[in-house]
Structure formats: C-alpha cells, structure tokens
Amino acid sequence: MQPGAQYPGTAQPGPHGQGADPQGAGQSQADARPFIPRPAVAADDLDYRHQGSRVHLASHQRGADATAIGQLATQIPGALVSLAVVSALALGICGTVVGWLVVVAWVASGALVFHRPTELRFARHVLKLREPLAEERARLEPIWREVTARAGIEANTYELMVENSDDLNAVAVAGHVVGVTTYSLNKIPSSNLAAVLAHELGHHTGGHAWAGLLGYWYSLPGRLAWAFTRALARIALAVAGVFSAAATGLLILFMGMFVLAGFLVAWYITVPLVVAPYLLAWAGRLGELRADQQSAALGFAPEMAEVLRHFQAEEDAAKSAAAAQGKKLQEPTGLARLLSTHPDNYTRLRALEPYLQLPR
C-alpha cells in the first residue's frame, strides 16, 4: 500500500477531534505547549455490546483445530531430518554425554514458543513489533476487549503490539502476541479493525500461530542443512566447470544418483519433504478461511468483507497503474498459487457469503 493512501471512511481531525486541545484557545502564548501533529484517526463506529458489562468466559480458551494439527503433521518429516542433523552434529562435536544433553535441550526448546518473555523478544527483534504508545493503546484496547468479550476469551491472555507500516495488516505470533500495523490502527474504522483483530484471534484460538512457529522451529536445522548442501553443490559444479565439461557432467550424474538413491531408500522421508511445502500452503489457506469464519461468527462478517474488498481494490489499482504505464503485472502461475498461504480475495469473500446473509 502506498504511504498516505486513504481507506474509505477515514476521518480527518476536526477542531475538537482527537489530538486537539479544547482549552488551548484560552492559554497565553507564553505557556502554550508546542503543537505536535498526530495522525488522523479513523472513526470509532464499533458497536460496543459488552462495554461496562460482565464478560462470560468460555470454558475452552484455546486449542488446536484440524488446520493446526495438519500443520504439525506435515512438519514431522522435516523435524525428523532436523533431529538427525542436530544429533549428528552434537554427538560428533560434543561427545556422547554432552551431545545427548544438547539433543534433549533442542527438543525441549520448542516450549519457548509458549514462553511469554521469549515470544516478546522474538516479536520485537525478529518481527520488529513494538509496544503501543499510550494513545495507540487507548484506541486499541477497547476494541480488543470487545472482540475478546464476544468470543468469551480472556483479553489479558494476549499481548498487543504495533508495527510501523503503511500496509493494512495484522499478525498472530506464537502463543500470546497479536500485532497490528499503524495504518490499520489509525486509518480504518474501529469496526473494521475489530474484524481484523477477530481474524487474528481466530488464528490463536485455533492454534494456527503456535503450530506454524513450532513446526518452523523444529524444521529449521534441516532447512539450514539443505541450504548448506545446495551451496556446496553449486561450488562443486563451479569448480568442476573450470576443469572440463566432462567433469561437470560426471558430478551432475553423481548428484542425481545420490538424490535418486535417497528417494528409493528413504522414500517415506524424502517424498513427504517434497510435498510438504504444498501441504503447508494448503493448510495456511484453510487457516485463513477458518480465521475469517471466526471473525464472521463474532458479528464482523460485513466488516471483514469490507477489508477484503479493500485488498482487492488495491490489487486492481496496481494493475491499472501498470497498464497506464504500458506494463503488465505478472499473474501468479499455477505453481505459485499452490504455494500461496493465502486464498485470493474472491475465494475469501465467497466463503463469507453465508454469514453476510444472516441477520447481525
């Protein structure tokens, strides 16, 4: 999204809007505080059904739906490869006793996905999220409390964080973090922001966020080993090419035989590794639809549809701008669609249609 782009319904600050000092006109020039412009904040049009009322918490606060379980199951072959890599390195470098301690520590390290201080460090240093400013928290927390109250979820279970970005986006991280961009916080009406937050809450209550991060963590050593192997193969081919084409051909033949042997001997590992990216992408698309349904079930179907139409309008505008310059945006290929973790906007809108036909 281009900086400064206007979201439909964005309100401009009026003389008595947020950030204005209603008593500033009565102050003398000597003791008047310097004016610090604040970003225009969109309208607060949310229907606060639970403001000041008692919240009935659901007995089931979080879990793992079929999407989360599928994510974890798909990552098992990669985790086994990672276990083999970690075991080989640890036992080879540290010896038997210390090596097994390292292996056990690595296996236990997955629990850090649910360790709140570790999650917050990951969010700050890796995802570049930050704690909300006081005025940001004043806008964000009431909306979040309304969303969690409708779902029967304890609001304080999760940490709200902010990303400095001009994109309309939000993210569910690990077990307890919900991040939202400054654009989403300031430029879209509170009802639409509530729909986006309800979507992220759906990722958390369905277990999508922690399952995805846990699977990624346990597959990381295997990914790094594969990347290292590919780098060595490229170097070997470059060196062989210096000597002769025959040497390069023999090396390629040897590598091909090695890969084929891996498929024949350990097909139960290699075949799942090959199809895992496609299965994970499919699970990701299913998770997005489930999170949309969670948002709709909480009464935010029209608002979620508005957000998706905004996404589609952005895509259409980008295509039109490219066409005006005599260019054509490259459409995703069939393979790229299979590897996409998000359904297209029209698929998501069609999935929301049953909720849009119900009375709110």
Side-chain angles (χ1 to χ4, degrees):
M1 182 176 297
Q2 295 296 324
Q6 286 294 316
Y7 188 91
T10 300
Q12 298 298 327
H16 301 293
Q18 184 168 353
D21 184 0
Q23 300 184 9
Q27 290 181 326
S28 66
Q29 186 175 3
D31 58 4
R33 292 173 294 177
F35 173 71
I36 301 177
R38 297 180 181 178
V41 177
D44 185 6
D45 60 348
L46 178 61
D47 176 18
Y48 292 95
R49 303 175 185 175
H50 296 82
Q51 195 170 35
S53 62
R54 183 177 179 180
V55 176
H56 298 279
L57 298 180
S59 58
H60 186 70
Q61 291 286 298
R62 66 166 71 217
D65 61 18
T67 300
I69 295 172
Q71 284 180 312
L72 292 174
T74 304
Q75 295 279 20
I76 289 176
L80 292 176
V81 172
S82 293
L83 179 61
V85 170
V86 172
S87 300
L89 291 176
L91 296 174
I93 296 173
C94 303
T96 304
V97 177
V98 177
W100 280 116
L101 290 176
V102 171
V103 173
V104 172
W106 174 76
V107 173
S109 66
L112 293 176
V113 170
F114 304 98
H115 183 239
R116 193 180 294 257
T118 302
E119 292 179 56
L120 294 177
R121 292 190 187 96
F122 176 80
R124 282 194 295 264
H125 300 297
V126 178
L127 301 181
K128 305 303 179 184
L129 302 179
R130 59 172 175 81
E131 293 185 3
L133 301 175
E135 60 189 37
E136 293 172 333
R137 190 177 294 278
R139 173 170 170 82
L140 186 57
E141 284 192 343
I143 300 173
W144 176 247
R145 285 197 295 268
E146 175 63 26
V147 170
T148 53
R150 293 192 189 188
I153 301 297
E154 174 59 53
N156 294 331
T157 300
Y158 300 97
E159 297 282 347
L160 298 175
M161 304 189 76
V162 175
E163 176 190 3
N164 295 325
S165 172
D166 292 315
D167 292 332
L168 199 172
N169 197 17
V171 61
V173 182
H176 302 93
V177 176
V178 175
V180 63
T181 62
T182 48
Y183 182 95
S184 302
L185 185 59
N186 295 314
K187 299 298 184 182
I188 69 175
S190 57
S191 59
N192 290 22
L193 178 56
V196 172
L197 291 174
H199 174 96
E200 302 307 327
L201 179 63
H203 281 311
H204 272 305
T205 56
H208 310 159
W210 67 260
L213 184 57
L214 188 66
Y216 175 81
W217 172 249
Y218 280 133
S219 66
L220 185 58
R223 293 173 186 266
L224 294 176
W226 175 241
F228 181 72
T229 302
R230 291 178 61 186
L232 286 181
R234 284 194 295 266
I235 293 173
L237 289 173
V239 172
V242 173
F243 293 98
S244 68
T248 303
L250 287 174
L251 185 58
I252 293 175
L253 179 62
F254 173 77
M255 290 180 179
M257 293 176 62
F258 181 79
V259 172
L260 180 61
F263 271 93
L264 294 176
V265 175
W267 60 268
Y268 47 87
I269 294 292
T270 53
V271 172
L273 285 175
V274 171
V275 301
Y278 302 95
L279 293 177
L280 286 173
W282 174 77
R285 294 192 296 271
L286 184 60
E288 292 300 319
L289 294 176
R290 286 180 179 271
D292 285 347
Q293 292 169 0
Q294 161 83 345
S295 181
L298 297 182
F300 300 115
E303 292 80 8
M304 195 70 230
E306 287 181 16
V307 172
L308 294 174
R309 293 190 190 102
H310 177 70
F311 286 150
Q312 188 59 46
E314 282 187 320
E315 293 183 11
D316 294 340
K319 292 178 182 178
S320 299
Q325 299 175 1
K327 302 177 183 179
K328 184 179 181 181
L329 292 181
Q330 185 177 1
E331 295 290 340
T333 63
L335 187 62
R337 291 192 185 95
L338 288 176
L339 290 172
S340 174
T341 58
H342 283 64
D344 64 82
N345 297 315
Y346 289 116
T347 298
R348 296 174 69 176
L349 283 168
R350 281 194 296 270
L352 285 177
E353 286 179 352
Y355 297 92
L356 294 171
Q357 296 168 0
L358 295 175
R360 296 184 62 185

